[in-house]
Amino acid sequence: MALSNPGGSRKVCYYYDSDIGNNYYGQGHPMKPHRIRMTHNLLLNYGLYRKMEIYRPHKCNAEEMSRYHSDDYIKFLRSIRPDNMSEYTKQMQRFNVGEDCPVFDGLYEFCQLSGGGSIAGAVKINKHQTDIAINWAGGLHHAKKSEASGFCYVNDIVLAILELLKYHQRVLYIDIDIHHGDGVEEAFYTTDRVMTVSFHKYGEYFPGTGDLRDIGAGKGKYYALNFPLRDGMDDECYEQIFQPVITKVMEYYQPSAVVLQCGADSLGDRLGCFNLTVKGHAKCLEYVKKFNVPILMLGGGGYTIRNVARCWTYETAVALGQEIPNELPYNDYFEYFGPDFKLHISPSNMSNQNTMEYLQKIRQRLFENLRMLPHAPGVQMQDIPPDAVVSGSDDEAMDDPDKK
């Protein structure tokens, strides 16, 4: 697959709902949806909104969620509230809701907006109405078919990929969150229609999956790629593994759409142990852009929220092919970015446990697995199902993005 001119401008659409930042997982919980509002405010103040189409996503409904999730699980998410939890004790255990995945006010609406933005971005790509679609409220890659996990309740990524599969023979999923993209891998483990590639910390670390030997099963054998990493991963090493692996994947698999999960906990992060900078993280997007395939960009992890906002703002600029200054513009959350008030961060002095020898060995093993694939596998295309007509699913263009 030939690389294109990376500087070429792309049509970008962006999904955001101001209600998303009002959600609160509870005191002391590391997941803070407020980071999405901070990101939005920062990119508004950089003037990036003028370069892209901004949409308020529809709230995806139970029927849309049930394209992947089980009906009883979605019914539970619709019903549970902080004031009726005592009625649902058994179900909370069954669906893994309570500790890491708490019940909070507006939980179901939060899932609806996160899922709605990702599905809408996929529809825009399917209709050839955009080159890149962005939903920073998405990327919740741990949610399972009938179970919440790792701060994630509804797997918006799986829902978006199912939408893309209506029009695309092969979809590539790339995950650069520090945690393994287990929920997405599990959903597509036995199919060759989706290849999942995850670069993550492995070894006594949540969720504990993503071994090099996990390669898919049945028809999906060799269509799951896992690059297990150690603490202290830095920009230079990341680039040395990401680019060759993605080059080979694109060459062998030839997807016609890419979903990129941009979890920002692989920067220096309160729950992470990697050492990427904003620029190092964004280089992954820059590289994927060069293949000139439509991209759905999603959020994910990220718990040092000032750095999440920096990262996703910069990656929005990279998607648009725009240079933005390192001096942060004044914004509603300016004090969060002290003491330097700069966009880019310096890596910490954490030592990198990933030796060149180790990385080369893993890379070689992955290349061997890729060689087992038929070049651009022939896929039986079913008739494209008519798009489910969802009330309110026409995205509402936001005429005035300054309405926060």
Side-chain angles (χ1 to χ4, degrees):
M1 190 170 277
L3 293 177
S4 74
N5 165 24
S9 73
R10 306 282 162 83
K11 189 169 186 187
V12 177
C13 69
Y14 164 94
Y15 289 86
Y16 176 73
D17 189 296
S18 54
D19 289 345
I20 202 93
N22 298 333
N23 290 286
Y24 183 57
Y25 275 58
Q27 194 168 5
H29 198 290
M31 178 59 116
K32 300 193 185 321
H34 178 58
R35 66 207 177 125
I36 300 155
R37 180 185 282 153
M38 286 172 64
T39 302
H40 182 71
N41 194 262
L42 191 53
L43 64 85
L44 286 187
N45 283 287
Y46 264 119
L48 293 171
Y49 68 94
R50 295 190 203 98
K51 313 280 184 189
M52 58 189 179
E53 293 176 350
I54 298 186
Y55 295 98
R56 182 174 283 120
H58 73 284
K59 288 182 178 176
C60 74
N61 61 27
E63 187 186 339
E64 287 176 285
M65 292 181 190
S66 298
R67 287 179 193 166
Y68 175 58
H69 294 288
S70 64
D71 292 339
D72 53 349
Y73 175 53
I74 296 304
K75 189 178 172 190
F76 163 77
L77 290 178
R78 283 174 77 176
S79 311
I80 188 91
R81 299 187 309 274
D83 62 6
N84 68 4
M85 282 162 58
S86 57
E87 300 166 34
Y88 288 95
T89 315
K90 274 191 174 155
Q91 282 184 289
M92 283 175 67
Q93 285 179 327
R94 179 180 155 205
F95 296 126
N96 194 36
V97 168
E99 295 283 316
D100 277 357
C101 303
V103 177
F104 56 85
D105 283 320
L107 165 60
Y108 185 64
E109 288 77 12
F110 173 74
C111 297
Q112 287 183 297
L113 289 174
S114 166
S118 299
I119 293 168
V123 169
K124 270 276 187 282
I125 286 170
N126 282 346
K127 290 181 173 175
H128 302 289
Q129 290 174 347
T130 195
D131 300 307
I132 298 175
I134 301 172
N135 177 30
W136 293 129
L140 304 178
H141 59 170
H142 296 306
K144 307 295 195 301
K145 191 179 181 75
S146 302
E147 189 182 309
S149 175
F151 319 156
C152 308
Y153 304 84
V154 166
N155 201 315
D156 64 286
I157 309 170
V158 172
L159 298 177
I161 291 174
L162 290 173
E163 190 64 46
L164 289 170
L165 288 173
K166 292 177 182 179
Y167 292 84
H168 295 269
Q169 280 195 314
R170 290 179 297 281
V171 175
L172 172 63
Y173 173 68
I174 304 170
D175 192 315
I176 60 171
D177 193 291
I178 194 171
H179 301 95
H180 177 233
D182 59 336
V184 184
E185 179 184 280
E186 185 178 296
F188 300 110
Y189 205 62
T190 59
T191 180
D192 56 4
R193 298 279 311 273
V194 181
M195 177 175 270
T196 59
V197 182
S198 180
F199 300 84
H200 51 268
K201 154 88 171 148
Y202 183 72
E204 293 187 16
Y205 196 69
F206 184 87
T209 50
D211 190 290
L212 176 66
R213 292 166 295 197
D214 297 337
I215 57 171
K219 270 190 166 172
K221 192 174 182 185
Y222 302 115
Y223 290 91
L225 252 71
N226 285 298
F227 206 123
L229 296 164
R230 299 168 177 167
D231 289 1
M233 194 64 189
D234 60 25
D235 289 356
E236 191 184 349
C237 282
Y238 210 91
E239 190 175 347
Q240 284 172 359
I241 61 166
F242 185 86
Q243 295 192 2
V245 168
I246 295 305
T247 302
K248 279 274 191 276
V249 164
M250 295 301 268
E251 179 193 327
Y252 280 96
Y253 192 58
Q254 296 186 15
S256 56
V258 173
V259 177
L260 179 62
Q261 197 269 20
C262 303
D265 45 10
S266 38
L267 308 175
D269 187 84
R270 66 180 272 202
L271 295 191
C273 43
F274 281 6
N275 206 8
L276 299 185
T277 66
V278 167
K279 277 186 178 162
H281 194 270
K283 271 206 165 156
C284 298
L285 167 62
E286 278 175 30
Y287 195 68
V288 173
K289 252 185 93 180
K290 291 179 184 180
F291 291 93
N292 225 351
V293 172
I295 304 169
L296 176 60
M297 288 167 57
L298 304 173
Y303 309 99
T304 301
I305 59 175
R306 61 185 181 274
N307 290 345
V308 177
R310 287 175 160 114
C311 183
W312 291 348
T313 298
Y314 182 66
E315 286 176 339
T316 305
V318 167
L320 289 161
Q322 296 291 313
E323 298 275 336
I324 54 174
N326 192 27
E327 284 293 326
L328 290 176
Y330 188 74
N331 63 84
D332 290 0
Y333 307 103
F334 197 61
E335 71 279 6
Y336 282 72
F337 300 100
D340 59 338
F341 306 101
K342 298 279 195 288
L343 178 63
H344 292 289
I345 57 172
S346 301
S348 72
N349 56 5
M350 191 190 308
S351 71
N352 187 354
Q353 309 292 313
N354 298 276
T355 62
M356 285 318 295
E357 185 188 21
Y358 171 73
L359 295 175
Q360 280 170 344
K361 189 178 83 179
I362 303 286
R363 198 171 75 181
Q364 213 42 52
R365 291 276 297 280
L366 291 181
F367 285 177
E368 284 163 21
N369 287 352
L370 280 168
R371 279 198 286 273
M372 305 302 287
L373 296 181
H375 260 60
V379 174
Q380 267 321 107
M381 282 297 278
Q382 292 106 18
D383 289 336
I384 292 167
D387 289 328
V389 180
V390 180
S391 60
S393 67
D394 284 339
D395 310 314
E396 180 190 339
M398 290 168 75
D399 300 325
D400 181 7
D402 291 300
K403 281 184 191 161
K404 294 185 272 295

